[in-house]
């Protein structure tokens, strides 16, 4: 009986040790599983809340906060003049949104939010998109228009900070780490040398396909060129200010007067192609006569008289007026002026 009691006591002690060990292990597991990530401690973590964008669904608070910042950043770039310099990078996206196609917008928001969520410590979200270098290289990503420089990268970060602050995340304990996170992507994203400009063709709309006034599909960068060229020819034909230029276009004007628009359309297309190629287009190429032959009556029978320097300057004034009529920004008009007055182009055209 005494041995039995000793055995019972021993068994009780062993049970107590095992029970204590299990409890201790559970406590250790709880300590180990404590999430001290930035996502959990500063952004709201995995707490489930109602998703304001999807009725009846829930979303992690941390992910919702990040998505709010990402969405706000894209909308700010699209709508505020302060960030207009960043819009050419989003030509494809903005054209889609303008056509009520939100698929690209939603995909961009998801990818960027996933990237931020994973980078800040989220356990349930993983970025599965392109590398940052490929995603921001137009040759690898046809949705990207132009390479980013440091100045535009800084402007983008400024937009993120402004949106985060407006959303209630302006505390330096939040903005600091987010800024460091974005800064860590700079080397991969910035691929254009400082002091250089994204090509003018891209800034005018780039390769996004859009419908023109006649229902034809043209690149968005080409449409304003075609509009300005068309307006220029019409001004030369009808505006008294440019009366002195009409003698260079008697063949064309006679055709138009007879209802034949073939020469007019060819001139508009050739001049538009020349401008497009000169400002960065890779899909529209000028294949007409060289500028010297095209403006030499001895070579080109449609040309009647050699152009003087004064008349060439008057023609440039017609282009400027046409661009102004079509709402082209002054900064862009200035770039066109520099192209038209370049020594090579003007020197080939002025022969009188």
């Amino acid at each position: 009986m005494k041995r039995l009691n000793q055995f019972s006591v021993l068994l009780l002690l062993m049970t107590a040790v095992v029970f204590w060990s299990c409890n201790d292990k559970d406590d250790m597991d709880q300590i180990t599983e404590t999430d001290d990530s930035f996502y959990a401690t500063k952004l709201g973590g995995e707490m489930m809340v109602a998703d304001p964008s999807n009725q009846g669904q829930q979303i992690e608070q941390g992910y919702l906060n990040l998505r709010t910042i990402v969405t706000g950043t894209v909308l700010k770039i699209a709508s505020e003049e302060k960030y207009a310099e960043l819009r050419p990078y989003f030509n494809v996206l903005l054209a889609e949104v303008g056509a009520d196609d939100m698929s690209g917008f939603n995909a961009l928001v998801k990818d960027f939010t996933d990237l931020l969520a994973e980078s800040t410590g989220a356990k349930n979200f993983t970025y599965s998109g392109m590398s940052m270098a490929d995603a921001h290289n137009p040759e690898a990503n046809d949705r990207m228009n132009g390479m980013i420089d440091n100045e535009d990268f800084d402007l983008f970060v400024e937009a993120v900070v402004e949106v985060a602050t407006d959303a209630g995340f302006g505390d330096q304990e939040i903005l600091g780490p987010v800024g460091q996170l974005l800064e860590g992507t700079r080397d991969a994203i910035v691929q254009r040398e400082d002091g250089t400009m994204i090509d003018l063709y891209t800034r005018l709309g780039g390769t996004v396909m859009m419908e023109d006034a006649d229902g034809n599909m043209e690149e968005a960068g080409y449409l304003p060129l075609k509009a300005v060229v068309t307006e220029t020819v019409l001004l030369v034909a009808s505006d008294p200010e440019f009366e002195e230029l009409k003698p260079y276009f008697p063949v064309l004007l006679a055709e138009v007067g007879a209802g034949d628009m073939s020469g007019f359309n060819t001139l508009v297309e050739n001049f538009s192609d020349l401008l497009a190629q000169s400002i960065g287009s890779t899909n529209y190429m000028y294949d007409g006569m060289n500028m010297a032959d095209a403006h030499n009556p001895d070579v080109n029978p449609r040309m009647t008289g050699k152009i003087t320097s004064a008349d060439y300057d008057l023609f440039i004034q017609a282009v400027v007026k046409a661009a102004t009529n079509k709402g082209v920004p002054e900064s862009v008009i200035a770039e066109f002026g520099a192209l038209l007055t370049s020594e090579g182009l003007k020197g080939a055209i002025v022969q009188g």
Side-chain angles (χ1 to χ4, degrees), residues 254-289:
E255 291 173 343
V256 172
D260 178 4
M261 299 297 293
S262 60
F264 178 91
N265 293 333
T266 298
L267 173 62
V268 168
E269 181 178 345
N270 281 342
F271 191 17
S272 299
D273 288 349
L274 175 67
L275 292 176
Q277 180 178 335
S278 300
I279 63 174
S281 170
T282 56
N283 296 323
Y284 292 89
M285 297 293 168
Y286 174 70
D287 59 1
M289 304 173 71

Side-chain angles (χ1 to χ4, degrees), residues 50-91:
D51 186 345
S53 298
N54 297 285
Q55 188 175 5
Q57 298 183 27
Q58 290 197 312
I59 187 173
E60 289 187 9
Q61 182 68 66
Y63 192 85
L64 173 59
N65 289 336
L66 289 173
R67 192 184 70 186
T68 298
I69 295 172
V70 170
T71 302
T73 300
V74 178
L75 294 177
K76 184 174 286 288
I77 290 171
S79 62
E80 294 191 13
E81 193 60 29
K82 177 180 178 180
Y83 300 104
E85 292 183 15
L86 299 179
R87 288 178 201 157
Y89 301 113
F90 297 89
N91 282 338

Side-chain angles (χ1 to χ4, degrees), residues 51-344:
D51 186 345
S53 298
N54 297 285
Q55 188 175 5
Q57 298 183 27
Q58 290 197 312
I59 187 173
E60 289 187 9
Q61 182 68 66
Y63 192 85
L64 173 59
N65 289 336
L66 289 173
R67 192 184 70 186
T68 298
I69 295 172
V70 170
T71 302
T73 300
V74 178
L75 294 177
K76 184 174 286 288
I77 290 171
S79 62
E80 294 191 13
E81 193 60 29
K82 177 180 178 180
Y83 300 104
E85 292 183 15
L86 299 179
R87 288 178 201 157
Y89 301 113
F90 297 89
N91 282 338
V92 176
L93 178 68
L94 295 178
E96 291 173 343
V97 172
D100 293 325
D101 177 4
M102 300 299 291
S103 59
F105 178 90
N106 293 332
L108 173 62
V109 169
K110 181 182 184 304
D111 281 348
F112 191 16
T113 306
D114 286 348
L115 175 66
L116 292 177
E118 179 181 357
S119 301
T120 55
K123 296 182 175 63
N124 299 320
F125 299 95
T126 303
Y127 174 69
S128 59
M130 303 172 74
S131 70
M132 287 296 97
D134 285 347
H136 295 85
N137 181 355
E139 295 183 3
N141 180 11
D142 59 8
R143 295 184 64 85
M144 187 68 188
N145 289 270
M147 294 181 177
I148 296 175
D149 66 355
N150 278 297
E151 185 176 350
D152 285 344
F153 183 87
D154 291 340
L155 188 60
F156 176 77
V157 173
E158 185 176 341
V160 174
V161 170
E162 187 174 338
V163 171
T165 300
D166 291 343
F169 299 101
D171 192 302
Q172 190 56 38
E173 290 186 2
I174 296 177
L175 290 182
V178 170
Q180 291 176 4
L181 172 62
L182 294 174
E183 185 63 32
T185 67
R186 181 186 292 270
D187 289 344
I189 291 176
V190 172
Q191 302 178 34
R192 178 161 56 87
E193 185 179 350
D194 292 347
T196 61
M197 291 189 69
I198 187 171
D199 66 82
L200 180 55
Y201 191 78
T202 296
R203 282 182 278 137
L204 289 175
T207 58
V208 179
M209 299 303 294
M210 298 186 68
E211 189 174 306
D212 67 11
D214 298 322
N216 301 313
M217 299 302 293
E218 299 276 14
E219 290 186 0
Y222 190 79
L223 287 177
L225 299 178
K226 189 176 180 180
V228 169
V229 170
T230 301
E231 178 74 0
T232 300
V233 178
L234 292 176
L235 285 176
V236 171
S238 62
D239 192 328
E241 182 180 352
F242 308 108
E243 186 75 23
E244 294 181 17
L245 298 179
K246 286 184 181 178
Y248 297 109
F249 298 91
V251 177
L252 177 67
L253 295 177
E255 291 173 343
V256 172
D260 178 4
M261 299 297 293
S262 60
F264 178 91
N265 293 333
T266 298
L267 173 62
V268 168
E269 181 178 345
N270 281 342
F271 191 17
S272 299
D273 288 349
L274 175 67
L275 292 176
Q277 180 178 335
S278 300
I279 63 174
S281 170
T282 56
N283 296 323
Y284 292 89
M285 297 293 168
Y286 174 70
D287 59 1
M289 304 173 71
N290 66 60
M291 288 295 98
D293 287 347
H295 294 86
N296 184 350
D298 296 332
V299 179
N300 181 9
R302 295 183 65 84
M303 191 69 191
T304 55
K306 294 182 178 180
I307 297 177
T308 66
S309 181
D311 284 345
Y312 186 78
D313 291 341
L314 185 60
F315 175 75
I316 292 178
Q317 291 177 35
V319 175
V320 170
K321 186 171 184 177
T324 302
N325 290 349
K326 291 300 179 180
V328 178
E330 289 186 10
S331 59
V332 174
I333 293 176
E335 290 186 57
F336 274 120
L339 170 64
L340 294 174
T341 56
S342 63
E343 183 176 348

